[in-house]
Amino acid sequence: MDWSHVVLPDIFCPFPADFAPHPAAEDVGRQVLAHLHKIKAPPDVHATAAGVRLVGFTGRLYPGSSARGLHLAMMLTLMVFSHEDWADSGAINHHPRPATWASKTYEHAMAVFDAAAAPTAEDPPFLRLLEPFGLAVRAFDRADITHRVRASLQQWMHAQLWEQDLLRRGDAPALTVYRDLRQHASGCLLVYDLFPLVFELPVTADLLDHPVVRALTGRMANYCAWVNDLLSLPKEIEEQSTTNLVLILARDHGLSPQQAMEAGAAAVRDEAIAYQDLKQHLPALGLLPNGALASYLHRLEEYQANSLTYQQQAPRWTRREPADPTPPGQDGHREPT
């Protein structure tokens, strides 16, 4: 198929955006970069930090967070994108036993997050960030949320193994399987589970585990991941990825590239509308949308709207950029272009 002439349709987004810089973003960004030097983070991590633009990106996704919450969010951003850069480098497939090695690497990563093991110089760059990330999570002293974040982190890693196996085999998942696992592989659910800490919300893990709330976050995670699939399609075709909604729709339904892109945009719209419809029924389902839950859902919607605004501006999602060879300067940040 020739994907070179596919036109990106309008992306439906009914959620409110607040794409303003966080007032503490510059200071927090400097603190994070200083911490990278303190832990002797490898050059790859600094290159990732420059590429994702901590102030311009993370600083705009969490406008209502506390300063320490923003610090935690920036650490997560660095860890996730450092992992992406490591995985995209082909390091896993260069190992003689890639699946076994990757599985053991993720097991060690969870031990580092738990402070049950220490990172080594041989570990992948992303793993070096899990130690300070775990410490930052536990510093909020929210045992129920910490347990939930840990579970989401582990599920995210398991989903990475799934994506890596598909890429090695040149295989693509069935659409139904993709819908279930892409939520975790994208990291969206991990991000959402961190919200009670980032925004210091009084929402409990029990409330987040309510089946209706889980259905809402699942819908939003689909929306988040699928929007990313639409915007990153050129990059993923170049990298021969097989876990992209548009590519799967084209294969499973025999669609042309443009038809598949339109079908993907329609799926994004349907997921957003399904989220809104379910949210309207919260009172009838015994969940009054006020207080902690209302604050959580507001942050969920605002995050997605801000994320879409940024992704439409940032080349990281639309093509592979070379690592920024310039070491971070005074603040090490670049605004969106």
Side-chain angles (χ1 to χ4, degrees):
M1 285 189 181
D2 181 9
W3 293 87
S4 60
H5 301 294
V6 174
V7 177
L8 178 69
D10 291 337
I11 297 177
F12 177 72
C13 183
F15 310 118
D18 180 14
F19 198 59
H22 193 291
E26 291 283 354
D27 289 340
V28 174
R30 279 190 286 268
Q31 292 169 16
V32 170
L33 290 177
H35 191 69
L36 295 184
H37 288 288
K38 181 180 179 181
I39 66 173
K40 296 181 172 58
D44 288 352
V45 172
H46 289 283
T48 298
V52 300
R53 302 163 186 162
L54 285 178
V55 171
F57 176 52
T58 313
R60 293 177 184 269
L61 293 188
Y62 305 91
S65 65
S66 64
R68 69 171 184 161
L70 183 61
H71 188 282
L72 179 62
M74 285 188 178
M75 291 301 298
L76 176 65
T77 299
L78 273 180
M79 190 279 292
V80 169
F81 284 117
S82 179
H83 175 276
E84 180 184 292
D85 289 341
W86 169 70
D88 287 350
S89 73
I92 299 173
N93 290 335
H94 291 158
H95 196 276
R97 299 180 64 189
T100 300
W101 179 65
S103 180
K104 290 185 178 297
T105 297
Y106 290 133
E107 288 178 11
H108 177 50
M110 290 307 303
V112 170
F113 173 82
D114 292 335
T120 69
E122 291 74 32
D123 287 332
F126 84 93
L127 201 149
R128 301 285 296 278
L129 299 172
L130 278 171
E131 185 175 42
F133 176 66
L135 288 171
V137 168
R138 289 187 291 276
F140 283 83
D141 198 24
R142 292 284 307 276
D144 61 331
I145 300 300
T146 297
H147 178 77
R148 187 179 178 87
V149 169
R150 186 193 187 282
S152 287
L153 178 65
Q154 189 168 44
Q155 290 167 351
W156 173 74
M157 291 183 184
H158 289 163
Q160 301 309 310
L161 289 171
W162 165 73
E163 281 200 338
Q164 292 157 15
D165 177 65
L166 289 170
L167 186 59
R168 276 194 299 273
R169 295 189 285 110
D171 198 4
L175 182 59
T176 51
V177 174
Y178 167 89
R179 287 178 62 100
D180 291 337
L181 289 177
R182 184 74 171 97
Q183 292 182 353
H184 298 286
S186 68
C188 296
L189 292 175
L190 173 58
V191 169
Y192 301 162
D193 281 341
L194 214 62
F195 278 10
L197 307 182
V198 171
F199 295 105
E200 305 205 34
L201 302 173
V203 64
T204 64
D206 284 345
L207 179 59
L208 296 180
D209 277 332
H210 190 288
V212 177
V213 178
R214 290 178 65 181
L216 284 168
T217 54
R219 292 292 190 188
M220 189 64 85
N222 283 339
Y223 180 92
C224 176
W226 299 352
V227 164
N228 185 76
D229 283 358
L230 297 180
L231 294 171
S232 65
L233 181 63
K235 179 177 79 76
E236 295 194 33
I237 289 175
E238 179 183 339
E239 296 172 354
Q240 299 182 324
S241 172
T242 59
T243 52
N244 182 288
L245 176 65
V246 180
L247 299 176
I248 295 171
L249 288 170
R251 184 203 63 185
D252 284 8
H253 297 289
L255 303 178
S256 70
Q258 188 61 47
Q259 287 173 331
M261 180 64 89
E262 298 288 347
V268 164
R269 179 184 178 88
D270 290 346
E271 209 69 5
I273 291 174
Y275 169 92
Q276 289 182 304
D277 181 68
L278 181 56
K279 181 183 174 184
Q280 290 177 353
H281 289 84
L282 288 178
L285 298 173
L287 289 168
L288 293 177
N290 54 30
L293 179 57
S295 297
Y296 176 79
L297 295 179
H298 168 71
R299 295 304 182 188
L300 203 68
E301 296 165 12
E302 181 183 71
Y303 171 90
Q304 186 51 57
N306 291 345
S307 179
L308 175 58
T309 301
Y310 183 84
Q311 288 184 68
Q312 289 174 323
Q313 298 177 12
R316 181 183 180 91
W317 278 267
T318 55
R319 66 177 183 272
R320 171 59 56 202
E321 290 184 304
D324 186 347
T326 306
Q330 181 65 26
D331 59 14
H333 307 302
R334 295 174 295 173
E335 292 297 309
T337 55

